[in-house]
Amino acid sequence: MTKHYDLVVIGGGTGGYVSAIRASQLGLSVAIVEKQKLGGTCLHRGCIPTKSLLKSADLIEQIKITNELGITDLEINFDYKKIVARKDKIVDQMYKGIHGLIKKNKIDVFNGHGRMLGPSIFSPISGTVAVEREDGESDVLTNDYVLIATGTTPRELPYLEFDNKIVISSDHILTQETLPESILIIGGGVIGVEFASLLSDLGVNVTIVDVEDRLLKLEDKDASRIIEDTFKKKNVAIHTSTRLVESDFTKNESSMTVELDGKSVEFDQVLVAIGRVPLTDDIGLSNTKIKTDKGYIETSEFYQTAESHIYAIGDCIGKLQLAHVATKEGLIAVEKIAHQTPIELDYRAVPRCVYTNPEIASIGFTEDELKESNTKYKAHKFPLVGVAKAVIENDGVGFVKLLVDEHESILGATIVGAHATELINELSLAKFLDVSMSEMKETIHAHPSVGEGIFEASLDALGMAIHK
């Protein structure tokens, strides 16, 4: 079958399907090509399933301290299969919701592998999309525009390939219905520390290894310190500044023996969490003028590739690999295609969230980045132990840190503590609107609320902190 569309979106993940909906709202005829399921990594193998599991783990962790809350004699028992079943139910509910939205917006979905063709009988320019279906048949989608949103996949170590049994990825661990007794996590970035937090709360013996000198190297040093201290209290073994090589691993029938600090340690599983690689190898880029860098597609500020009618967004372009970033990039690209006037995305105003216990959320620059660029700034840190609601929630663990310039504008910010991933939205809005500390001082925050920490940090920037 051959059919023409104004826009063909290759990839039905968060960025792809949201872009398709916006394009339909703008009057374009739209098709999505998706090899697996609409919703992509975020819905099926990332954001949503991990946060569902983290919710269960957090409740288990809360039960451990019920004596401090005056609740006695509670026993901790859980059925991991039921925890996984709840996760699957949530994912399925959201998946059905996406299908409803796609139908409502009259978007056609083609299930199969999409590849762009070069100039052919179908079109004088490259970009026609051939869809190879599982039944061996194919569809040809001619178009005026293409939007590539193919995402990424977990990166393997060359000497430690995934076998989905002993050596696993973040994709595979979310499909397991049983927990290992012990696990080695290679990688101390966001994915690694989130799973370390989750699994340790569920009673798994966790060891985490990273080549950097601290966990969460790209985040604030003080945030890293709190996470490392928290992990140590949970008996998570941390090995930073540690580079493992092939000879350190001995694969057994049902476990892995690893040489760590001169000792042989046996693990039921090894989770490799060293980043992700773009899914751009087999989508027909060689049939176009599109340029790549290490597999990531190069684009303009409005996500246009070297082929003026082909755009690319999301993880496959190598910017911030976050679902909400892919969504925003897609909206900007589609509005550009529809001859609107979108605002260029400021990546320094994008919230970055780490769903550990406690949570971490940040925007903008870190202190290390500002020092490296010789940017003048002042850091104002307010400990959440001075905020009553934060003490009620989790003993006041954490802080709000604002990095401001001489004009009182936010250069960067970090929140560690209860509800940090919700509170960061306030600072994201403040940065987008360039709210000064003097203006922040005039806002009113509800009492008691953890958000009072943001207010106090802004007062501290003016030398007026009340509870510090």
Side-chain angles (χ1 to χ4, degrees), residues 3-8 29-31 108 110 141-145:
K3 191 171 181 179
H4 183 84
Y5 293 90
D6 295 326
L7 173 66
V8 173
S29 59
V30 188
D108 291 339
F110 291 82
L141 312 180
T142 61
N143 56 76
D144 296 326
Y145 295 94

Side-chain angles (χ1 to χ4, degrees), residues 159-199:
Y159 55 84
L160 210 61
E161 294 182 357
F162 298 130
D163 61 17
N164 293 340
K165 180 182 177 183
I166 298 173
V167 182
I168 60 175
S169 70
S170 56
D171 285 359
H172 179 75
I173 197 170
L174 292 170
T175 67
Q176 296 183 160
E177 292 190 345
T178 58
L179 291 168
E181 289 188 12
S182 62
I183 192 166
L184 171 66
I185 299 176
I186 303 176
V190 175
I191 295 174
V193 298
E194 284 191 356
F195 276 108
S197 181
L198 162 66
L199 294 171

Side-chain angles (χ1 to χ4, degrees), residues 117-234:
L117 305 177
S120 65
I121 58 172
F122 300 108
S123 174
I125 59 175
S126 59
T128 293
V129 178
V131 183
E132 182 182 326
R133 303 199 307 256
E134 285 188 359
D135 62 7
E137 298 296 319
S138 62
D139 298 299
V140 176
L141 312 180
T142 61
N143 56 76
D144 296 326
Y145 295 94
V146 175
L147 179 66
I148 303 170
T150 48
T152 55
T153 192
R155 183 186 298 275
E156 286 185 316
L157 283 167
Y159 55 84
L160 210 61
E161 294 182 357
F162 298 130
D163 61 17
N164 293 340
K165 180 182 177 183
I166 298 173
V167 182
I168 60 175
S169 70
S170 56
D171 285 359
H172 179 75
I173 197 170
L174 292 170
T175 67
Q176 296 183 160
E177 292 190 345
T178 58
L179 291 168
E181 289 188 12
S182 62
I183 192 166
L184 171 66
I185 299 176
I186 303 176
V190 175
I191 295 174
V193 298
E194 284 191 356
F195 276 108
S197 181
L198 162 66
L199 294 171
S200 63
D201 285 348
L202 291 173
V204 178
N205 293 319
V206 177
T207 298
I208 187 167
V209 172
D210 196 84
V211 297
E212 302 291 351
D213 60 356
R214 60 185 173 92
L215 301 181
L216 296 174
K217 181 68 174 181
L218 298 180
E219 293 299 332
D220 182 88
K221 282 184 177 179
D222 291 337
S224 295
R225 189 174 300 113
I226 286 183
I227 288 301
E228 291 183 3
D229 289 346
T230 301
F231 279 180
K232 288 173 183 176
K233 291 176 182 177
K234 296 179 180 180

Side-chain angles (χ1 to χ4, degrees), residues 158-402:
Y159 55 84
L160 210 61
E161 294 182 357
F162 298 130
D163 61 17
N164 293 340
K165 180 182 177 183
I166 298 173
V167 182
I168 60 175
S169 70
S170 56
D171 285 359
H172 179 75
I173 197 170
L174 292 170
T175 67
Q176 296 183 160
E177 292 190 345
T178 58
L179 291 168
E181 289 188 12
S182 62
I183 192 166
L184 171 66
I185 299 176
I186 303 176
V190 175
I191 295 174
V193 298
E194 284 191 356
F195 276 108
S197 181
L198 162 66
L199 294 171
S200 63
D201 285 348
L202 291 173
V204 178
N205 293 319
V206 177
T207 298
I208 187 167
V209 172
D210 196 84
V211 297
E212 302 291 351
D213 60 356
R214 60 185 173 92
L215 301 181
L216 296 174
K217 181 68 174 181
L218 298 180
E219 293 299 332
D220 182 88
K221 282 184 177 179
D222 291 337
S224 295
R225 189 174 300 113
I226 286 183
I227 288 301
E228 291 183 3
D229 289 346
T230 301
F231 279 180
K232 288 173 183 176
K233 291 176 182 177
K234 296 179 180 180
N235 295 317
V236 174
I238 302 171
H239 296 263
T240 50
S241 301
T242 301
R243 184 179 295 277
L244 297 174
V245 296
E246 185 174 5
S247 59
D248 292 323
F249 295 87
T250 302
K251 192 173 183 181
N252 312 310
E253 184 176 343
S254 59
S255 65
M256 182 77 75
T257 301
V258 183
E259 295 298 318
L260 272 174
D261 291 342
K263 297 180 181 179
S264 294
V265 187
E266 189 173 359
F267 298 96
D268 293 329
Q269 289 186 315
V270 177
L271 170 61
V272 180
I274 57 171
R276 301 177 67 87
V277 293
L279 289 169
T280 56
D281 283 344
D282 192 23
I283 58 172
L285 293 184
S286 60
N287 296 324
T288 73
K289 299 175 184 176
I290 293 174
K291 298 177 181 178
T292 62
D293 181 11
K294 297 179 180 178
Y296 292 103
I297 297 172
E298 296 182 0
T299 71
S300 70
E301 67 273 24
F302 294 109
Y303 311 106
Q304 196 171 30
T305 70
E307 293 273 14
S308 61
H309 62 294
I310 302 177
Y311 289 67
I313 58 125
D315 291 4
C316 69
I317 68 172
K319 303 291 186 182
L320 287 176
Q321 294 186 356
L322 301 168
H324 48 284
V325 170
T327 297
K328 187 61 177 176
E329 290 170 344
L331 295 176
I332 291 171
V334 165
E335 289 177 4
K336 190 69 175 178
I337 288 170
H339 309 295
Q340 306 288 306
T341 53
I343 298 173
E344 182 180 345
L345 175 56
D346 176 7
Y347 287 93
R348 290 296 177 182
V350 171
R352 306 184 301 272
C353 298
V354 187
Y355 294 85
T356 45
N357 185 2
E359 293 182 344
I360 301 172
S362 57
I363 57 168
F365 295 95
T366 64
E367 287 198 70
D368 284 346
E369 290 172 324
L370 293 175
K371 289 175 181 176
E372 187 175 340
S373 63
N374 295 316
T375 301
K376 292 183 179 180
Y377 74 97
K378 288 187 178 180
H380 302 279
K381 180 180 174 183
F382 188 84
L384 289 178
V385 72
V387 176
K389 189 62 166 22
V391 175
I392 293 169
E393 291 285 340
N394 70 344
D395 293 330
V397 174
F399 60 85
V400 176
K401 179 186 283 189
L402 301 179

